[in-house]
């Protein structure tokens, strides 16, 4: 029995299926199962372009939810597999799991999906729908809640929803907010922490160097309140310490002057403009202009598809 279907749980379940007689995967709220290889025959992260992600931000949520649901369902029938998510794609409470192996294991019967667990008594697992299974081993892959015991609760509460952090980095309640910052504790709803952490580190470095001043305490409070309320609206009132990776990166980059002007790029370098908006979103994009831009960023941005696929042949 594997409890939890984020990233770790399905990997454990698939590995166990190679040896165990029965493998059960329990998920409380269901998941959105995204393929590593898209229907277009490319790695999934290479089909996400900046224009699509910007449309996701500004178009109605019902359109975005439907668009993503159609994309996910094109590869896996979530309801038939017993993993249909209780939350729409744009709700930060949803879980997105990236796996090509899991649907194959489910369809072949090597991994059997189950709903939320009601109780475990001895070797018998009872689910909320009344079904029961006999299991020898239970893996708990439900994640964890970070807690920083060495930091005063008034600065960083154990309930992160109450953490008063400007841009989710600077504790604006302090007399000197710029003297303390938190990099890497804000997790993206999908994807790795590293891109978030890199952009946060650049932001903090700019503040510490004196090249960027934090706004007044009142403005930071206002920004925090608006950001938090927007998140609560998207989840129906439940706070979760997550963010949309691209939107958060883009906001920080805009604030730091790292996003090229659309019209200037279109007029001066149309080839790069096309790749920038219709090609994969890559970290090189944030090294094209502004502080610490990189002379090879343009070349790497233009050739990213060839470089990404070069190891395949």
């Amino acid at each position: 029995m594997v409890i939890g279907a984020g990233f770790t749980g399905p990997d454990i379940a698939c590995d166990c299926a190679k040896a165990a007689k029965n493998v059960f995967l329990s998920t409380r709220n269901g998941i959105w199962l995204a393929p590593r290889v898209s229907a277009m025959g490319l790695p999934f992260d290479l089909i996400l372009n900046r224009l699509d992600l910007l449309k996701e931000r500004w178009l109605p949520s019902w359109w975005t939810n439907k668009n993503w649901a159609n994309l996910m369902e094109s590869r896996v029938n979530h309801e038939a597999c017993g993993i249909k998510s209780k939350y729409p794609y744009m709700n930060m409470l949803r879980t997105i799991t990236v796996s090509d192996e899991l649907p194959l294991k489910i369809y072949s019967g090597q991994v059997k999906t189950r709903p939320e667990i009601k109780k475990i008594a001895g070797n018998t697992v009872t689910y909320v729908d009344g079904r029961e299974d006999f299991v020898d081993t239970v893996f708990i892959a439900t994640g964890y809640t970070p807690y920083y015991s060495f930091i005063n609760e008034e600065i960083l509460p154990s309930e992160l929803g109450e953490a008063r952090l400007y841009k989710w980095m600077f504790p604006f309640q302090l007399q000197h907010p710029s003297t303390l910052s938190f990099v890497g504790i804000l997790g993206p709803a999908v994807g790795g922490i590293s891109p978030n952490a890199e952009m946060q580190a650049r932001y903090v470095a700019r503040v510490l160097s004196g090249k960027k001043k934090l706004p007044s305490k009142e403005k930071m409070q206002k920004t925090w309140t608006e950001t938090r309320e927007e998140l609560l609206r998207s989840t129906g009132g439940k706070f979760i310490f997550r963010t949309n990776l691209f939107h958060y990166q883009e906001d920080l980059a805009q604030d730091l002057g790292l996003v090229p002007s659309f019209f200037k790029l279109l007029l001066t370098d149309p080839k790069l403009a096309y790749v920038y908006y219709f090609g994969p979103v890559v970290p090189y994009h944030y090294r094209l202009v502004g502080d610490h831009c990189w002379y090879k960023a343009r070349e790497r941005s233009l050739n990213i598809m060839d470089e990404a696929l070069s190891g395949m042949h």
Side-chain angles (χ1 to χ4, degrees), residues 89-90 215 219 254 300:
Y89 183 87
M90 292 301 288
K219 287 186 178 179
Q254 286 276 9
R300 292 296 174 86

Side-chain angles (χ1 to χ4, degrees), residues 216-254:
S216 67
K217 180 179 177 180
E218 291 72 27
K219 287 186 178 179
M220 288 193 284
Q221 167 85 52
K222 184 173 182 291
T223 298
W224 175 80
T225 300
E226 290 173 349
T227 304
R228 192 170 184 275
E229 288 178 350
E230 181 182 358
L231 177 60
L232 291 174
R233 281 195 299 272
S234 77
T235 61
K238 184 176 180 180
F239 184 86
I240 186 165
F241 202 64
R242 288 182 186 172
T243 185
N244 181 297
L245 173 60
F246 171 75
H247 298 164
Y248 181 67
Q249 273 193 113
E250 196 78 353
D251 284 344
L252 294 184
Q254 286 276 9

Side-chain angles (χ1 to χ4, degrees), residues 46 86 93 107 115 120 188 213 226 263 276 281 291 296:
L46 292 185
K86 293 180 182 179
L93 294 175
Y107 280 120
I120 299 178
K213 300 292 184 183
E226 290 173 349
F263 292 107
Y276 184 82
V281 179
D291 280 1
K296 286 189 177 181

